[in-house]
Amino acid sequence: MPAGPVAAQERTLIVTMVLLMLVVVVPMFIALFTIARRYRSGNPKAKHVPDGRHRGWTELWLWAVPAALVAVLGTLCWQYAHALDPYRPIASPNPPLTVQVVALEWKWLFIYPQQDIATVNYLEFPAGTPVHFELTADAPMSSFWIPRLGSQIYAMAAMETQLNLLASTTGEYVGKDTEINGAGYAGMTFTANSVSPSDFNAWVASVQASGTYSALDQNAYAALAMPSEYAPPAYYSSVQENLFDNIMMEYMEPSPTAPVPASATPASGAAMPGMSM
């Protein structure tokens, strides 16, 4: 069952589309079996009129109904494509919670920039509050999805995608990767826990507590980024500044107009790489 407005709208769209398509599919199957029975070889009453004329009204119905259905389905798809745009913010009196998501081999890293904490394979957020996800990858392409909240979206290296979700009620949901991306794909799952705002604040405070968990700096991240399967949940009490941006920039080529650092300039008389003296 849907646990948020996005998943609820997606269910409405799927059910509506199926019912509309049944308008054509059901009569088609009825006509198929009716014609097969009526014009079977053992029916002497069946008329064979090879030179019969086409009837205008019959032709009109045969084309008008499918054409109208295609027009209705196209209109619905256009409307819902804009209404369910993953980049579109969700209207709410509560300010959104930002969570930065990094797909690794084969686990999910969640960074809370406003709270300065991070988790692995565990996501907690307050119910009734929009969650704004910023996603990238430091591994092969993955697809982020919490089925009961809706809208899966890809996470790719050197790119940032966005997703906005909201849980209407508290509850624990399964999150997963739907893109087959290697040996540990099956274990690339996480727990998405929707709690009350007070419980969320208490959880953040417990993770931030000094001495409870280690900090996620560049060295800790390098160890975390190593491939592993079925990684258990882990927590970090602080996060190195701009870590998410650094992960994205790792795969970016330097701008050709960027100034060359002094350390990269060869000394006078020194050979450039690839040149012989």
Side-chain angles (χ1 to χ4, degrees):
M1 293 293 292
V6 175
Q9 290 183 73
E10 290 175 343
R11 182 183 65 173
T12 300
L13 174 62
I14 293 172
V15 172
T16 302
M17 300 275 281
V18 169
L19 291 177
L20 285 174
M21 287 186 286
L22 288 176
V23 172
V24 170
V25 173
V26 171
M28 182 190 70
F29 276 102
I30 293 175
L32 174 65
F33 289 105
T34 301
I35 292 173
R37 182 178 183 280
R38 181 174 180 180
Y39 294 99
R40 68 191 186 277
S41 60
N43 183 12
K45 297 181 180 180
K47 294 182 180 180
H48 178 60
V49 188
D51 299 323
R53 294 180 301 172
H54 293 286
R55 297 181 180 180
W57 285 107
T58 302
E59 292 288 336
L60 178 63
W61 279 107
L62 287 176
W63 287 100
V65 173
L69 179 62
V70 170
V72 172
L73 292 176
T75 301
L76 279 175
C77 286
W78 184 88
Q79 292 176 340
Y80 276 91
H82 288 274
L84 296 172
D85 181 356
Y87 282 56
R88 184 175 182 174
I90 298 176
S92 172
N94 301 318
L97 169 69
T98 298
V99 178
Q100 297 170 332
V101 183
V102 183
L104 301 171
E105 295 180 297
W106 284 273
K107 48 192 168 286
W108 295 97
L109 169 63
F110 301 102
I111 300 173
Y112 295 74
Q114 298 160 332
Q115 289 75 25
D116 192 33
I117 61 173
T119 62
V120 174
N121 283 348
Y122 181 80
L123 174 67
E124 185 157 321
F125 51 90
T129 296
V131 183
H132 174 70
F133 294 99
E134 300 172 354
L135 302 100
T136 191
D138 194 4
M141 182 170 64
S142 301
S143 182
F144 177 88
W145 189 31
I146 306 175
R148 292 193 62 190
L149 298 185
S151 292
Q152 63 176 324
I153 194 165
Y154 285 107
M156 295 167 280
M159 295 183 64
E160 178 187 329
T161 50
Q162 299 179 30
L163 178 64
N164 292 278
L165 296 175
L166 183 147
S168 301
T169 60
T170 60
E172 190 173 287
Y173 314 113
V174 176
K176 59 181 67 178
D177 171 28
T178 61
E179 178 72 18
I180 300 177
N181 59 0
Y185 153 76
M188 197 170 173
T189 61
F190 63 92
T191 299
N193 194 21
S194 172
V195 299
S196 66
S198 58
D199 287 344
F200 175 74
N201 293 332
W203 173 77
V204 170
S206 68
V207 177
Q208 292 173 335
S210 177
T212 305
Y213 301 106
S214 60
L216 183 60
D217 55 18
Q218 198 64 45
N219 293 331
Y221 174 76
L224 176 65
M226 297 296 292
S228 63
E229 299 182 24
Y230 295 93
Y235 309 88
Y236 297 90
S237 58
S238 63
V239 181
Q240 179 178 306
E241 187 176 3
N242 297 325
L243 179 60
F244 182 82
D245 295 332
N246 293 341
I247 295 170
M248 285 192 56
M249 295 303 296
E250 178 182 352
Y251 298 96
M252 296 286 189
E253 292 186 3
S255 171
T257 60
V260 179
S263 59
T265 304
S268 177
M272 293 290 290
M275 296 179 62
S276 60
M277 293 297 289

